[in-house]
Amino acid sequence: MKPIFLIGFMGSGKSTIGKALSERYNLSFVDLDDYIVKKQGMEITKIFEQFGEDKFRELEHEALNEVLLKNIIATGGGIVEQKENVSLMKEIGTIIYLHATFAEIDHRLKGDQTRPLWLNSNLKEKQQLYARRNTLYRSCADYIISTDQQTIHEIITNIMDKVTLNKSY
Ligand code: S3P
């Protein structure tokens, strides 16, 4: 099957849904952030702190290229910041945007210490980032799935229905 790329804002559930999908349908799975952390031997916050966002984006791009044989790939929220990443995902896989409203994301990420871009932004900056990313996610997604009111089971069933209908499976 073509790889399924889960995209969406920080806290939209990409890792949780990816893991559940892989377990339910017996598919291989990788979480791109975890992959980067293992490969670099360094937490994401430390990478941002020591080397900055640009370096993180380079590592992210490199990592994406290394995991393309997996069935399910949970990407980081900023994967769409680089056009090359979007082209690659579009070319070889199916892109699923897991959408959550700003209010829901804000609620889920309260107290989160692991996401530097969220942690170091004020409300206005968070809203702007959300709005800009929302446009980017929508423009490249094959399917958009709302996660706010759905159970994990409903979401993964929904994703598989769409992917199999599309004859990509
Ligand atoms: C980022 C999202 C994070 C992680 C990094 C940058 C972003 O991943 O890659 O902190 O730019 O939105 P999650 O979406 O899994 O939180």
Side-chain angles (χ1 to χ4, degrees), residues 4-58:
I4 297 174
F5 294 99
L6 300 176
I7 66 167
F9 205 77
M10 296 169 251
S12 59
K14 301 174 298 277
S15 308
T16 309
I17 299 299
K19 190 161 177 290
L21 253 181
S22 72
E23 285 167 2
R24 168 71 180 79
Y25 297 98
N26 207 14
L27 298 167
S28 61
F29 167 67
V30 65
D31 179 286
L32 207 58
D33 281 345
D34 288 352
Y35 181 89
I36 296 168
V37 168
K38 279 202 193 96
K39 191 175 168 194
Q40 302 305 320
M42 205 184 250
E43 293 300 327
I44 305 280
T45 35
K46 278 269 167 288
I47 300 175
F48 266 77
E49 240 171 66
Q50 289 197 16
F51 305 111
E53 182 175 349
D54 287 354
K55 179 66 186 172
F56 176 76
R57 296 297 168 211
E58 273 176 38

Short mmCIF file of all heavy atoms in Angstrom, two decimals, residues 4-58:
data_model
loop_
_atom_site.label_atom_id
_atom_site.label_comp_id
_atom_site.label_asym_id
_atom_site.label_seq_id
_atom_site.Cartn_x
_atom_site.Cartn_y
_atom_site.Cartn_z
N ILE A 4 0.65 6.22 4.29
CA ILE A 4 -0.33 7.21 4.74
C ILE A 4 0.43 8.22 5.59
O ILE A 4 1.04 7.86 6.60
CB ILE A 4 -1.43 6.56 5.60
CG1 ILE A 4 -2.22 5.56 4.76
CG2 ILE A 4 -2.36 7.61 6.20
CD1 ILE A 4 -3.24 4.76 5.56
N PHE A 5 0.39 9.48 5.18
CA PHE A 5 1.03 10.54 5.95
C PHE A 5 -0.04 11.26 6.77
O PHE A 5 -0.99 11.80 6.20
CB PHE A 5 1.72 11.54 5.02
CG PHE A 5 2.88 10.95 4.27
CD1 PHE A 5 2.73 10.53 2.95
CD2 PHE A 5 4.12 10.79 4.87
CE1 PHE A 5 3.79 9.97 2.25
CE2 PHE A 5 5.19 10.23 4.19
CZ PHE A 5 5.02 9.82 2.88
N LEU A 6 0.14 11.26 8.08
CA LEU A 6 -0.79 12.00 8.94
C LEU A 6 -0.18 13.37 9.18
O LEU A 6 0.95 13.48 9.69
CB LEU A 6 -0.98 11.26 10.26
CG LEU A 6 -1.55 9.84 10.14
CD1 LEU A 6 -1.62 9.17 11.50
CD2 LEU A 6 -2.94 9.86 9.48
N ILE A 7 -0.91 14.40 8.79
CA ILE A 7 -0.43 15.76 9.01
C ILE A 7 -1.44 16.50 9.88
O ILE A 7 -2.60 16.08 10.02
CB ILE A 7 -0.19 16.53 7.68
CG1 ILE A 7 -1.51 16.79 6.94
CG2 ILE A 7 0.80 15.80 6.78
CD1 ILE A 7 -1.39 17.80 5.80
N GLY A 8 -1.00 17.61 10.45
CA GLY A 8 -1.91 18.40 11.27
C GLY A 8 -1.14 19.15 12.32
O GLY A 8 0.06 18.91 12.53
N PHE A 9 -1.84 20.05 12.98
CA PHE A 9 -1.20 20.92 13.97
C PHE A 9 -0.71 20.11 15.17
O PHE A 9 -1.18 18.99 15.42
CB PHE A 9 -2.20 21.99 14.43
CG PHE A 9 -1.54 23.24 14.93
CD1 PHE A 9 -1.01 24.16 14.04
CD2 PHE A 9 -1.42 23.48 16.29
CE1 PHE A 9 -0.37 25.31 14.51
CE2 PHE A 9 -0.80 24.62 16.76
CZ PHE A 9 -0.27 25.54 15.87
N MET A 10 0.23 20.69 15.90
CA MET A 10 0.68 20.08 17.16
C MET A 10 -0.56 19.74 18.00
O MET A 10 -1.47 20.56 18.11
CB MET A 10 1.52 21.08 17.97
CG MET A 10 2.80 21.51 17.32
SD MET A 10 3.55 22.91 18.21
CE MET A 10 3.30 24.25 17.03
N GLY A 11 -0.58 18.56 18.56
CA GLY A 11 -1.69 18.20 19.45
C GLY A 11 -2.94 17.73 18.72
O GLY A 11 -3.97 17.50 19.35
N SER A 12 -2.84 17.54 17.40
CA SER A 12 -4.05 17.11 16.67
C SER A 12 -4.26 15.60 16.75
O SER A 12 -5.26 15.08 16.28
CB SER A 12 -3.97 17.55 15.20
OG SER A 12 -2.82 17.00 14.60
N GLY A 13 -3.30 14.88 17.33
CA GLY A 13 -3.48 13.43 17.54
C GLY A 13 -2.78 12.55 16.53
O GLY A 13 -3.08 11.36 16.44
N LYS A 14 -1.84 13.09 15.78
CA LYS A 14 -1.18 12.32 14.72
C LYS A 14 -0.50 11.05 15.27
O LYS A 14 -0.64 9.97 14.70
CB LYS A 14 -0.14 13.20 13.99
CG LYS A 14 -0.74 14.45 13.35
CD LYS A 14 0.34 15.34 12.77
CE LYS A 14 1.34 15.90 13.74
NZ LYS A 14 1.01 17.09 14.49
N SER A 15 0.23 11.21 16.37
CA SER A 15 0.96 10.06 16.92
C SER A 15 0.00 9.01 17.47
O SER A 15 0.15 7.81 17.21
CB SER A 15 1.91 10.50 18.03
OG SER A 15 2.71 11.55 17.57
N THR A 16 -0.98 9.46 18.22
CA THR A 16 -1.95 8.53 18.82
C THR A 16 -2.73 7.79 17.74
O THR A 16 -2.89 6.56 17.79
CB THR A 16 -2.96 9.34 19.68
OG1 THR A 16 -2.22 10.16 20.56
CG2 THR A 16 -3.89 8.44 20.45
N ILE A 17 -3.20 8.54 16.75
CA ILE A 17 -3.99 7.92 15.68
C ILE A 17 -3.12 6.99 14.83
O ILE A 17 -3.54 5.89 14.46
CB ILE A 17 -4.62 9.02 14.77
CG1 ILE A 17 -5.57 9.92 15.58
CG2 ILE A 17 -5.33 8.42 13.57
CD1 ILE A 17 -6.73 9.21 16.21
N GLY A 18 -1.89 7.42 14.55
CA GLY A 18 -0.97 6.60 13.76
C GLY A 18 -0.72 5.26 14.44
O GLY A 18 -0.76 4.21 13.79
N LYS A 19 -0.48 5.31 15.73
CA LYS A 19 -0.18 4.09 16.48
C LYS A 19 -1.41 3.17 16.50
O LYS A 19 -1.31 1.97 16.25
CB LYS A 19 0.22 4.48 17.91
CG LYS A 19 0.77 3.37 18.72
CD LYS A 19 1.56 3.94 19.91
CE LYS A 19 2.09 2.84 20.81
NZ LYS A 19 1.01 2.15 21.55
N ALA A 20 -2.58 3.78 16.74
CA ALA A 20 -3.82 2.99 16.79
C ALA A 20 -4.11 2.35 15.43
O ALA A 20 -4.50 1.17 15.35
CB ALA A 20 -4.98 3.88 17.23
N LEU A 21 -3.90 3.10 14.37
CA LEU A 21 -4.12 2.59 13.00
C LEU A 21 -3.21 1.40 12.73
O LEU A 21 -3.64 0.37 12.20
CB LEU A 21 -3.72 3.68 12.00
CG LEU A 21 -4.76 4.46 11.22
CD1 LEU A 21 -4.06 5.45 10.31
CD2 LEU A 21 -5.68 3.56 10.42
N SER A 22 -1.95 1.57 13.11
CA SER A 22 -0.98 0.51 12.81
C SER A 22 -1.31 -0.75 13.60
O SER A 22 -1.19 -1.86 13.08
CB SER A 22 0.44 0.98 13.09
OG SER A 22 0.67 1.08 14.47
N GLU A 23 -1.76 -0.58 14.83
CA GLU A 23 -2.09 -1.76 15.65
C GLU A 23 -3.36 -2.45 15.14
O GLU A 23 -3.43 -3.66 15.01
CB GLU A 23 -2.25 -1.36 17.13
CG GLU A 23 -0.88 -1.10 17.76
CD GLU A 23 -0.96 -0.42 19.12
OE1 GLU A 23 -2.06 -0.15 19.62
OE2 GLU A 23 0.13 -0.14 19.67
N ARG A 24 -4.35 -1.64 14.81
CA ARG A 24 -5.64 -2.19 14.37
C ARG A 24 -5.52 -2.94 13.04
O ARG A 24 -6.14 -3.97 12.84
CB ARG A 24 -6.65 -1.04 14.28
CG ARG A 24 -7.95 -1.33 13.58
CD ARG A 24 -8.84 -2.26 14.41
NE ARG A 24 -10.09 -2.53 13.75
CZ ARG A 24 -10.24 -3.42 12.77
NH1 ARG A 24 -9.20 -4.12 12.34
NH2 ARG A 24 -11.43 -3.61 12.23
N TYR A 25 -4.72 -2.40 12.12
CA TYR A 25 -4.64 -2.99 10.78
C TYR A 25 -3.31 -3.70 10.51
O TYR A 25 -3.01 -4.05 9.38
CB TYR A 25 -4.91 -1.92 9.72
CG TYR A 25 -6.31 -1.35 9.81
CD1 TYR A 25 -6.53 -0.15 10.47
CD2 TYR A 25 -7.39 -2.04 9.29
CE1 TYR A 25 -7.81 0.38 10.59
CE2 TYR A 25 -8.67 -1.53 9.40
CZ TYR A 25 -8.88 -0.32 10.05
OH TYR A 25 -10.15 0.19 10.17
N ASN A 26 -2.53 -3.86 11.59
CA ASN A 26 -1.26 -4.58 11.46
C ASN A 26 -0.34 -3.97 10.40
O ASN A 26 0.13 -4.67 9.50
CB ASN A 26 -1.57 -6.05 11.15
CG ASN A 26 -0.47 -6.95 11.63
OD1 ASN A 26 0.38 -6.52 12.41
ND2 ASN A 26 -0.47 -8.18 11.15
N LEU A 27 -0.13 -2.69 10.51
CA LEU A 27 0.70 -1.96 9.54
C LEU A 27 1.93 -1.39 10.26
O LEU A 27 1.91 -1.19 11.47
CB LEU A 27 -0.11 -0.80 8.95
CG LEU A 27 -1.37 -1.21 8.17
CD1 LEU A 27 -2.26 0.00 7.92
CD2 LEU A 27 -0.98 -1.87 6.86
N SER A 28 2.97 -1.13 9.48
CA SER A 28 4.15 -0.56 10.11
C SER A 28 3.94 0.94 10.33
O SER A 28 3.22 1.60 9.59
CB SER A 28 5.39 -0.82 9.25
OG SER A 28 5.25 -0.22 7.99
N PHE A 29 4.59 1.45 11.36
CA PHE A 29 4.33 2.82 11.78
C PHE A 29 5.61 3.51 12.25
O PHE A 29 6.45 2.88 12.90
CB PHE A 29 3.33 2.80 12.94
CG PHE A 29 3.21 4.11 13.68
CD1 PHE A 29 2.66 5.23 13.06
CD2 PHE A 29 3.64 4.22 15.00
CE1 PHE A 29 2.54 6.43 13.75
CE2 PHE A 29 3.53 5.43 15.69
CZ PHE A 29 2.97 6.53 15.06
N VAL A 30 5.75 4.76 11.91
CA VAL A 30 6.82 5.56 12.50
C VAL A 30 6.30 6.95 12.85
O VAL A 30 5.49 7.51 12.13
CB VAL A 30 8.06 5.63 11.57
CG1 VAL A 30 7.77 6.38 10.28
CG2 VAL A 30 9.24 6.30 12.28
N ASP A 31 6.77 7.42 14.00
CA ASP A 31 6.49 8.79 14.40
C ASP A 31 7.75 9.59 14.08
O ASP A 31 8.83 9.29 14.62
CB ASP A 31 6.19 8.82 15.91
CG ASP A 31 5.91 10.23 16.39
OD1 ASP A 31 6.86 11.03 16.49
OD2 ASP A 31 4.75 10.52 16.65
N LEU A 32 7.63 10.54 13.20
CA LEU A 32 8.81 11.24 12.69
C LEU A 32 9.60 11.97 13.79
O LEU A 32 10.84 11.95 13.78
CB LEU A 32 8.39 12.24 11.59
CG LEU A 32 9.46 12.55 10.55
CD1 LEU A 32 9.95 11.30 9.83
CD2 LEU A 32 8.94 13.55 9.53
N ASP A 33 8.90 12.58 14.72
CA ASP A 33 9.60 13.26 15.82
C ASP A 33 10.40 12.26 16.66
O ASP A 33 11.55 12.51 17.01
CB ASP A 33 8.62 14.00 16.74
CG ASP A 33 8.16 15.32 16.14
OD1 ASP A 33 8.80 15.80 15.18
OD2 ASP A 33 7.15 15.87 16.62
N ASP A 34 9.79 11.12 16.98
CA ASP A 34 10.50 10.09 17.75
C ASP A 34 11.73 9.60 16.99
O ASP A 34 12.78 9.36 17.58
CB ASP A 34 9.59 8.86 18.00
CG ASP A 34 8.52 9.17 19.02
OD1 ASP A 34 8.56 10.25 19.63
OD2 ASP A 34 7.61 8.33 19.17
N TYR A 35 11.55 9.45 15.69
CA TYR A 35 12.65 8.99 14.84
C TYR A 35 13.82 9.98 14.91
O TYR A 35 14.98 9.59 15.06
CB TYR A 35 12.13 8.85 13.40
CG TYR A 35 13.16 8.36 12.41
CD1 TYR A 35 13.33 6.99 12.18
CD2 TYR A 35 13.95 9.25 11.69
CE1 TYR A 35 14.27 6.54 11.26
CE2 TYR A 35 14.89 8.82 10.78
CZ TYR A 35 15.04 7.46 10.55
OH TYR A 35 15.98 7.01 9.64
N ILE A 36 13.50 11.27 14.84
CA ILE A 36 14.55 12.30 14.89
C ILE A 36 15.24 12.29 16.27
O ILE A 36 16.46 12.35 16.36
CB ILE A 36 13.95 13.71 14.60
CG1 ILE A 36 13.40 13.76 13.17
CG2 ILE A 36 14.98 14.81 14.82
CD1 ILE A 36 12.53 14.99 12.86
N VAL A 37 14.42 12.19 17.30
CA VAL A 37 14.98 12.19 18.68
C VAL A 37 15.94 11.01 18.86
O VAL A 37 17.04 11.16 19.37
CB VAL A 37 13.83 12.12 19.72
CG1 VAL A 37 14.36 11.83 21.12
CG2 VAL A 37 13.04 13.42 19.72
N LYS A 38 15.52 9.83 18.38
CA LYS A 38 16.38 8.64 18.52
C LYS A 38 17.65 8.81 17.71
O LYS A 38 18.75 8.54 18.17
CB LYS A 38 15.63 7.39 18.04
CG LYS A 38 14.69 6.86 19.08
CD LYS A 38 14.35 5.38 18.85
CE LYS A 38 13.16 5.00 19.71
NZ LYS A 38 11.87 5.06 18.99
N LYS A 39 17.48 9.28 16.47
CA LYS A 39 18.63 9.40 15.58
C LYS A 39 19.65 10.41 16.11
O LYS A 39 20.85 10.19 16.05
CB LYS A 39 18.15 9.81 14.18
CG LYS A 39 19.23 9.70 13.13
CD LYS A 39 18.72 9.99 11.74
CE LYS A 39 19.92 10.16 10.82
NZ LYS A 39 19.55 10.76 9.54
N GLN A 40 19.15 11.52 16.62
CA GLN A 40 20.06 12.59 17.10
C GLN A 40 20.47 12.37 18.55
O GLN A 40 21.40 13.02 19.04
CB GLN A 40 19.38 13.96 16.99
CG GLN A 40 18.91 14.33 15.60
CD GLN A 40 20.05 14.27 14.56
OE1 GLN A 40 21.18 14.67 14.83
NE2 GLN A 40 19.74 13.73 13.38
N GLY A 41 19.76 11.50 19.25
CA GLY A 41 20.04 11.29 20.67
C GLY A 41 19.77 12.56 21.46
O GLY A 41 20.45 12.86 22.45
N MET A 42 18.78 13.30 21.04
CA MET A 42 18.49 14.60 21.66
C MET A 42 17.00 14.92 21.55
O MET A 42 16.40 14.66 20.51
CB MET A 42 19.27 15.64 20.84
CG MET A 42 19.61 16.89 21.57
SD MET A 42 20.41 18.02 20.43
CE MET A 42 22.04 17.98 21.05
N GLU A 43 16.42 15.45 22.62
CA GLU A 43 15.01 15.83 22.59
C GLU A 43 14.79 17.00 21.61
O GLU A 43 15.70 17.79 21.38
CB GLU A 43 14.53 16.26 23.98
CG GLU A 43 14.51 15.14 25.01
CD GLU A 43 13.58 13.99 24.63
OE1 GLU A 43 12.55 14.23 24.00
OE2 GLU A 43 13.92 12.84 24.96
N ILE A 44 13.56 17.10 21.09
CA ILE A 44 13.22 18.18 20.14
C ILE A 44 13.51 19.57 20.75
O ILE A 44 14.08 20.43 20.09
CB ILE A 44 11.72 18.11 19.74
CG1 ILE A 44 11.33 16.73 19.17
CG2 ILE A 44 11.35 19.25 18.79
CD1 ILE A 44 11.68 16.47 17.75
N THR A 45 13.13 19.74 22.00
CA THR A 45 13.36 21.05 22.65
C THR A 45 14.85 21.40 22.66
O THR A 45 15.21 22.55 22.42
CB THR A 45 12.87 21.05 24.12
OG1 THR A 45 13.09 19.77 24.67
CG2 THR A 45 11.42 21.42 24.22
N LYS A 46 15.68 20.41 22.92
CA LYS A 46 17.14 20.64 22.94
C LYS A 46 17.65 20.97 21.54
O LYS A 46 18.52 21.82 21.38
CB LYS A 46 17.85 19.38 23.46
CG LYS A 46 17.87 19.26 24.95
CD LYS A 46 19.13 19.94 25.54
CE LYS A 46 19.08 20.14 27.02
NZ LYS A 46 18.17 21.16 27.51
N ILE A 47 17.13 20.28 20.53
CA ILE A 47 17.56 20.55 19.15
C ILE A 47 17.23 22.01 18.80
O ILE A 47 18.06 22.74 18.27
CB ILE A 47 16.90 19.57 18.14
CG1 ILE A 47 17.27 18.12 18.47
CG2 ILE A 47 17.30 19.93 16.71
CD1 ILE A 47 16.59 17.06 17.61
N PHE A 48 16.01 22.44 19.14
CA PHE A 48 15.60 23.83 18.87
C PHE A 48 16.51 24.80 19.62
O PHE A 48 16.96 25.80 19.07
CB PHE A 48 14.14 24.05 19.29
CG PHE A 48 13.15 23.86 18.18
CD1 PHE A 48 12.79 22.58 17.77
CD2 PHE A 48 12.55 24.93 17.53
CE1 PHE A 48 11.86 22.38 16.75
CE2 PHE A 48 11.62 24.75 16.51
CZ PHE A 48 11.28 23.47 16.12
N GLU A 49 16.74 24.49 20.89
CA GLU A 49 17.53 25.37 21.76
C GLU A 49 18.97 25.51 21.26
O GLU A 49 19.48 26.62 21.15
CB GLU A 49 17.61 24.71 23.15
CG GLU A 49 17.02 25.52 24.28
CD GLU A 49 16.97 24.64 25.52
OE1 GLU A 49 18.05 24.24 26.05
OE2 GLU A 49 15.84 24.31 25.91
N GLN A 50 19.57 24.38 20.95
CA GLN A 50 21.00 24.41 20.61
C GLN A 50 21.28 24.77 19.16
O GLN A 50 22.27 25.42 18.86
CB GLN A 50 21.63 23.05 20.90
CG GLN A 50 21.75 22.79 22.38
CD GLN A 50 22.73 21.66 22.68
OE1 GLN A 50 23.53 21.28 21.85
NE2 GLN A 50 22.65 21.13 23.89
N PHE A 51 20.41 24.32 18.24
CA PHE A 51 20.72 24.51 16.82
C PHE A 51 19.70 25.37 16.07
O PHE A 51 19.94 25.75 14.94
CB PHE A 51 20.82 23.14 16.13
CG PHE A 51 21.81 22.21 16.77
CD1 PHE A 51 21.39 21.08 17.45
CD2 PHE A 51 23.17 22.49 16.71
CE1 PHE A 51 22.31 20.23 18.06
CE2 PHE A 51 24.10 21.65 17.32
CZ PHE A 51 23.67 20.52 18.00
N GLY A 52 18.55 25.62 16.68
CA GLY A 52 17.55 26.47 16.05
C GLY A 52 16.58 25.72 15.15
O GLY A 52 16.79 24.55 14.82
N GLU A 53 15.51 26.43 14.76
CA GLU A 53 14.46 25.79 13.96
C GLU A 53 14.95 25.37 12.58
O GLU A 53 14.58 24.30 12.08
CB GLU A 53 13.24 26.73 13.82
CG GLU A 53 12.12 26.05 13.04
CD GLU A 53 10.84 26.87 12.95
OE1 GLU A 53 10.72 27.90 13.66
OE2 GLU A 53 9.97 26.47 12.16
N ASP A 54 15.80 26.18 11.95
CA ASP A 54 16.25 25.84 10.59
C ASP A 54 16.94 24.48 10.56
O ASP A 54 16.72 23.67 9.65
CB ASP A 54 17.19 26.91 10.04
CG ASP A 54 16.43 28.17 9.68
OD1 ASP A 54 15.17 28.16 9.77
OD2 ASP A 54 17.07 29.18 9.35
N LYS A 55 17.78 24.26 11.56
CA LYS A 55 18.50 22.97 11.62
C LYS A 55 17.50 21.84 11.85
O LYS A 55 17.59 20.77 11.23
CB LYS A 55 19.53 23.01 12.77
CG LYS A 55 20.30 21.73 12.96
CD LYS A 55 21.21 21.44 11.76
CE LYS A 55 21.89 20.07 11.89
NZ LYS A 55 22.59 19.72 10.66
N PHE A 56 16.51 22.09 12.72
CA PHE A 56 15.49 21.07 12.94
C PHE A 56 14.78 20.72 11.64
O PHE A 56 14.52 19.56 11.34
CB PHE A 56 14.47 21.52 14.00
CG PHE A 56 13.35 20.52 14.17
CD1 PHE A 56 13.55 19.34 14.87
CD2 PHE A 56 12.10 20.74 13.58
CE1 PHE A 56 12.54 18.39 14.99
CE2 PHE A 56 11.09 19.80 13.69
CZ PHE A 56 11.31 18.63 14.40
N ARG A 57 14.47 21.74 10.83
CA ARG A 57 13.77 21.49 9.55
C ARG A 57 14.62 20.64 8.61
O ARG A 57 14.11 19.82 7.86
CB ARG A 57 13.40 22.82 8.88
CG ARG A 57 12.42 23.67 9.65
CD ARG A 57 11.06 23.01 9.82
NE ARG A 57 10.23 23.72 10.80
CZ ARG A 57 9.33 23.14 11.57
NH1 ARG A 57 9.10 21.85 11.48
NH2 ARG A 57 8.63 23.85 12.43
N GLU A 58 15.95 20.86 8.65
CA GLU A 58 16.85 20.03 7.83
C GLU A 58 16.78 18.58 8.29
O GLU A 58 16.69 17.66 7.48
CB GLU A 58 18.31 20.49 8.02
CG GLU A 58 18.74 21.59 7.11
CD GLU A 58 20.17 22.04 7.46
OE1 GLU A 58 21.02 21.20 7.80
OE2 GLU A 58 20.41 23.26 7.41
#
